[in-house]
Amino acid sequence: MGESRERVTRADVAKLAGVSETIVSYVINNNRYVARDKRKRVEEAVKELNYRPNNMARALKGKQSNQLLFIADHITNEYFSSIVSEMDKYAYDSGYLISLCANRNSSEFISQVISRQYDGIIISSASFPAEYVEQFSQAGIPVVVYKRIRYHQFSGNVAMLGTGLYEGARKAVRHLISRGCRNIVYADRISARGHVSPPDDLRFGGFVDEMEANGFLVGKENIVCGCHNQEELEEEIKRRLRMGSQVDGIFGRNDMIACIAMTAAGQIGLRIPEDIKVIGFDDSSISRFCSPKLSTISLKQKEIAKATVEMITRMVGGEHVEDVNFDTTLIERESTAVR
Amino acid sequence: MGESRERVTRADVAKLAGVSETIVSYVINNNRYVARDKRKRVEEAVKELNYRPNNMARALKGKQSNQLLFIADHITNEYFSSIVSEMDKYAYDSGYLISLCANRNSSEFISQVISRQYDGIIISSASFPAEYVEQFSQAGIPVVVYKRIRYHQFSGNVAMLGTGLYEGARKAVRHLISRGCRNIVYADRISARGHVSPPDDLRFGGFVDEMEANGFLVGKENIVCGCHNQEELEEEIKRRLRMGSQVDGIFGRNDMIACIAMTAAGQIGLRIPEDIKVIGFDDSSISRFCSPKLSTISLKQKEIAKATVEMITRMVGGEHVEDVNFDTTLIERESTAVR
DNA sequence: ACACGTTATACACTCGTATGTACTATCTAA
DNA sequence: TTAGATAGTACATACGAGTGTATAACGTGT
């Protein structure tokens, strides 16, 4: 059961075509003179035997492995999965297949990865140590880092790609302000382990900068963070909204947070957008299906994915690649409408 | 810039430890007698040089590639991404990394994949040709197929995993009926290319069977399908709900479809769940954030992922693996509540 | 006639690893 | 004492492919 049929190798093709293995190799890689008739015979034999050069052998011999690795900490995110999905499309056309894994924070993991000879690595993890990135780079692997944190600089063959977090956050805040909000709260992520976004987080940074640029000082009262679960966040939001405070706008770190905030607001009888306006981030599907429909910031996953593959392809070819930044699109829906 | 540091090989370790390469190999693989002192020297050298055996060379030599491939047609689905995410956890502990790609329907793709020597392949695509599965199997690659269609049988080393589609669909219908619905409509997927779920689709089959088991005949009037976009689906749903028809329940193929159905119902003034009850499928995040909150069927992604890795691991070891079936959990929320 | 460039082929080595096999030294049982 | 098992090591080959280099045939210009 499950007879493991012999693998078809170059030798088989050579035999069938009546030429040497070398000729087969030349035909496959199309990099040497080959007589027309032999080339044809080889091509036929390849088809007949359904031969395809073994990827492992090729990679070993120093060629590319034709694999890319995407390291992210929340693969489940619709935002990430759509990037991966798009990347898969572009990458496949360039002969790449994409691997995926969560960030393991250990040097063991790093050498794991290095030993697999990926042609390129994409990292989108705020908690990914800079030294590890440099290890990849030193191992000769091109790295594209999706910028999540300010002031990150890497030496070596590392390209930074700004996905629009900072610019998008500013845009979101600006939108709330333009809608009349004067007392905006930033709702940070939920983390079972109590993780809080680092102070130099780009989204949070965008919030602060845009607030201050408009003359609003940001203090503790403008930030909800450190919640361990949905209930805790709801309670915290409600606490902020009661307190007789003037809060009239909420910027959720992502759409889910924003939705939870809307739920909380609803529970204490506040109307959205009349009493309080809410905006999310990511333009994920819940933003279109929640009620009221959530205004949000849409990132350009498609373009980001395409650019990523292009950058890595070029870096593999030895080119130096400039950092890239993408902007975002404000999606206005009901949660920030004027009424 | 980006100095490609020399790769550390077994030879380097051997040199530093003052032993032969063979000894290093034995220590690494722990499969031969090695004198204690030499073993220690090797281990130290490995650490010092941060050596890790090259995965490509290992795979070439006939060992495993330690890579799994997940082929799915809608990676973006929260359902799939959570399975992948969970699989990543279990797989990593067994030394595997996961690759991901959409289904390309060509034999070119198949040999692409085969040439990459995956240790196992997981397929969750209704449109994946059976003959391709068998090609994998014949190439000696264990395959786990997530069952999407009835009556699928494969020869060779192929294991089927039922994720609960059929059973879950029946459960959903049963729930609607128990809530008093007597005129239930099945809302099929949206497909830009006009694809309709095949007649032997497990979810649809579960719908039909449970309907008939309860004495309800299923006809065209119970099915909405073939819509190309959201607007079209909304219109079609509205048409069904007006028409003076008695429709009192909608079973959405997934949560998004169900949400769209709810939107459509709301647009023509129907109240949920008073006038019409709706249930979705997948328990994705929108089901918790839409309004009213959507009752749905929750699949056991975690268990499925774990089982998948286990099955493949065992199949790699040459074991025969029995097919597995998972059940589902009904999540009751507002959209089917009794009022 | 000769030199030279072009076309075309194949040998032999290499990538980094695993392991069958052969070999030696030491120890145990009879 | 001797045969046989056990501990320990190393050579040589293989996995499947890419390519430097050598070689030969052929055409062209002088």
Side-chain angles (χ1 to χ4, degrees):
Chain A
M1 190 179 297
E3 277 315 304
S4 172
R5 193 174 49 184
E6 274 314 303
R7 213 176 302 188
V8 181
T9 74
R10 200 173 58 176
D12 302 321
V13 178
K15 201 170 163 190
L16 180 61
V19 298
S20 76
E21 288 192 41
T22 317
I23 293 296
V24 178
S25 187
Y26 295 159
V27 172
I28 299 285
N29 298 305
N30 198 26
N31 55 359
R32 289 279 189 99
Y33 295 117
V34 173
R36 235 176 253 146
D37 59 327
K38 300 204 179 184
R39 157 164 276 132
K40 202 177 171 192
R41 291 218 305 278
V42 169
E43 279 163 353
E44 283 169 3
V46 164
K47 261 200 180 159
E48 168 129 8
L49 297 176
N50 197 18
Y51 166 74
R52 170 171 282 271
N54 180 295
N55 204 267
M56 298 299 166
R58 281 193 143 168
L60 176 57
K61 191 54 194 160
K63 290 296 223 181
Q64 311 169 205
S65 68
N66 295 317
Q67 301 222 120
L68 265 30
L69 178 66
F70 190 95
I71 302 177
D73 28 34
H74 300 296
I75 304 175
T76 315
N77 244 323
E78 209 176 317
Y79 162 68
F80 286 122
S81 57
S82 69
I83 284 191
V84 171
S85 171
E86 290 294 333
M87 249 173 47
D88 175 55
K89 282 184 203 162
Y90 297 111
Y92 185 77
D93 295 332
S94 309
Y96 290 107
L97 245 40
I98 307 218
S99 292
L100 201 59
C101 73
N103 170 24
R104 270 92 188 177
N105 222 321
S106 75
S107 63
E108 163 65 20
F109 172 58
I110 303 309
S111 50
Q112 254 285 5
V113 169
I114 292 179
S115 85
R116 287 179 131 93
Q117 282 197 199
Y118 288 100
D119 291 345
I121 299 178
I122 301 104
I123 298 173
S124 180
S125 164
S127 63
F128 201 85
E131 57 170 316
Y132 290 164
V133 174
E134 268 148 33
Q135 282 189 40
F136 289 150
S137 180
Q138 277 172 19
I141 310 173
V143 181
V144 171
V145 176
Y146 288 179
K147 211 171 174 186
R148 298 267 292 257
I149 287 179
R150 285 199 230 212
Y151 315 127
H152 248 6
Q153 289 289 5
F154 302 98
S155 59
N157 203 15
V158 179
M160 303 293 289
L161 188 153
T163 56
L165 298 181
Y166 179 79
E167 184 263 349
R170 294 195 68 147
K171 198 174 273 182
V173 173
R174 210 176 312 138
H175 177 61
L176 286 178
I177 293 174
S178 79
R179 285 291 181 268
C181 299
R182 292 293 170 267
N183 215 318
I184 303 173
V185 164
Y186 177 84
D188 197 23
R189 68 154 143 253
I190 291 171
S191 161
R193 293 186 222 90
H195 286 312
V196 173
S197 294
D200 52 353
D201 177 271
L202 278 177
R203 235 169 314 190
F204 181 63
F207 166 75
V208 173
D209 288 0
E210 187 65 28
M211 287 288 276
E212 294 183 345
N214 285 273
F216 300 110
L217 277 183
V218 173
K220 273 189 186 172
E221 65 282 5
N222 297 305
I223 306 165
V224 172
C225 65
C227 295
H228 297 73
N229 52 50
Q230 180 164 344
E231 291 69 38
E232 200 177 325
L233 178 61
E234 281 178 15
E235 284 312 310
E236 186 59 26
I237 297 272
K238 283 191 259 186
R239 214 173 58 77
R240 298 301 178 99
L241 297 185
R242 276 190 296 245
M243 287 219 317
S245 83
Q246 313 287 317
V247 175
D248 53 7
I250 298 180
F251 173 26
R253 175 173 230 276
N254 59 45
D255 291 335
M256 192 175 306
I257 299 293
C259 277
I260 292 171
M262 291 205 297
T263 305
Q267 283 172 11
I268 57 176
L270 293 173
R271 291 163 308 165
I272 300 169
E274 292 81 354
D275 302 326
I276 186 167
K277 302 192 194 304
V278 180
I279 190 165
F281 207 96
D282 281 352
D283 191 26
S284 52
S285 55
I286 55 169
S287 69
R288 286 184 295 277
F289 290 109
C290 58
S291 176
K293 290 182 188 169
L294 186 66
S295 293
T296 187
I297 300 294
S298 175
L299 275 52
K300 301 189 167 159
Q301 287 101 321
K302 216 166 183 163
E303 286 89 336
I304 291 171
K306 189 177 179 186
T308 304
V309 174
E310 270 180 24
M311 288 166 87
I312 288 194
T313 308
R314 292 174 49 196
M315 286 163 94
V316 167
E319 284 183 59
H320 175 73
V321 164
E322 294 294 322
D323 293 353
V324 183
N325 282 290
F326 285 92
D327 62 352
T328 58
T329 311
L330 169 68
I331 311 282
E332 295 188 46
R333 297 207 183 89
E334 300 163 2
S335 69
T336 58
V338 189
R339 280 194 187 149
Chain B
M1 192 179 292
E3 278 313 306
S4 174
R5 193 172 50 182
E6 273 316 302
R7 213 178 305 196
V8 180
T9 75
R10 202 173 56 178
D12 302 320
V13 178
K15 201 170 164 191
L16 180 60
V19 298
S20 77
E21 288 193 41
T22 317
I23 293 297
V24 177
S25 188
Y26 295 160
V27 172
I28 298 285
N29 297 305
N30 198 27
N31 56 358
R32 291 279 188 98
Y33 295 116
V34 173
R36 234 177 253 145
D37 59 327
K38 299 203 179 183
R39 159 164 275 131
K40 202 175 171 192
R41 291 219 305 276
V42 169
E43 281 164 352
E44 284 169 2
V46 165
K47 262 201 180 157
E48 168 129 9
L49 296 176
N50 197 19
Y51 165 75
R52 169 172 283 271
N54 180 296
N55 203 268
M56 299 299 166
R58 280 193 143 170
L60 176 58
K61 189 56 194 162
K63 291 296 225 183
Q64 311 169 203
S65 68
N66 295 317
Q67 300 221 121
L68 265 31
L69 178 67
F70 190 94
I71 302 177
D73 28 34
H74 300 296
I75 305 175
T76 313
N77 244 323
E78 209 176 317
Y79 163 68
F80 286 121
S81 57
S82 68
I83 285 191
V84 171
S85 171
E86 291 292 332
M87 249 173 46
D88 174 56
K89 282 184 203 161
Y90 296 112
Y92 185 76
D93 294 332
S94 308
Y96 290 107
L97 246 40
I98 307 217
S99 291
L100 201 57
C101 71
N103 171 24
R104 270 95 189 176
N105 223 322
S106 75
S107 64
E108 163 65 19
F109 172 58
I110 304 308
S111 50
Q112 255 283 7
V113 168
I114 292 179
S115 85
R116 288 179 131 92
Q117 283 198 197
Y118 288 100
D119 291 345
I121 299 179
I122 301 105
I123 298 174
S124 179
S125 163
S127 63
F128 201 85
E131 56 170 315
Y132 290 164
V133 174
E134 267 147 34
Q135 282 189 40
F136 289 151
S137 181
Q138 276 172 21
I141 310 174
V143 181
V144 171
V145 176
Y146 288 178
K147 211 170 173 186
R148 300 266 292 256
I149 287 177
R150 287 198 230 211
Y151 315 125
H152 249 6
Q153 289 290 5
F154 303 99
S155 60
N157 202 15
V158 179
M160 303 292 289
L161 188 152
T163 57
L165 297 180
Y166 179 78
E167 184 263 350
R170 293 195 67 148
K171 197 174 273 182
V173 173
R174 209 176 314 137
H175 177 61
L176 286 177
I177 293 174
S178 79
R179 286 289 181 270
C181 298
R182 291 292 170 267
N183 215 319
I184 302 174
V185 163
Y186 177 85
D188 197 22
R189 66 152 143 254
I190 291 171
S191 161
R193 292 186 224 91
H195 286 313
V196 173
S197 294
D200 53 353
D201 176 272
L202 279 177
R203 235 170 313 189
F204 181 63
F207 166 75
V208 173
D209 288 0
E210 186 65 29
M211 287 288 276
E212 294 184 345
N214 285 272
F216 300 111
L217 278 181
V218 173
K220 272 189 187 171
E221 65 282 5
N222 297 303
I223 306 165
V224 173
C225 65
C227 295
H228 297 73
N229 52 49
Q230 178 164 347
E231 290 69 38
E232 200 177 326
L233 178 61
E234 280 178 16
E235 284 312 313
E236 185 58 26
I237 296 271
K238 282 192 260 187
R239 215 173 56 78
R240 299 298 178 99
L241 297 186
R242 278 189 293 244
M243 286 218 319
S245 83
Q246 313 287 318
V247 175
D248 54 6
I250 297 178
F251 172 25
R253 175 173 229 278
N254 58 45
D255 291 335
M256 193 174 308
I257 299 293
C259 277
I260 292 171
M262 292 205 296
T263 305
Q267 283 172 10
I268 57 176
L270 292 174
R271 291 163 308 163
I272 300 168
E274 291 82 353
D275 303 326
I276 185 167
K277 302 193 196 302
V278 179
I279 190 165
F281 206 96
D282 282 353
D283 191 26
S284 53
S285 56
I286 54 170
S287 68
R288 286 184 294 277
F289 290 110
C290 59
S291 177
K293 290 182 186 168
L294 185 66
S295 293
T296 187
I297 300 292
S298 175
L299 275 52
K300 302 190 167 158
Q301 287 102 320
K302 216 165 182 164
E303 285 89 337
I304 291 171
K306 189 177 179 187
T308 304
V309 174
E310 269 180 24
M311 288 165 88
I312 288 196
T313 309
R314 291 174 48 195
M315 286 163 94
V316 168
E319 283 183 61
H320 175 73
V321 164
E322 293 295 322
D323 293 353
V324 183
N325 282 290
F326 285 91
D327 62 352
T328 58
T329 310
L330 168 68
I331 310 284
E332 295 187 47
R333 297 207 183 90
E334 299 164 1
S335 68
T336 59
V338 188
R339 276 188 191 155

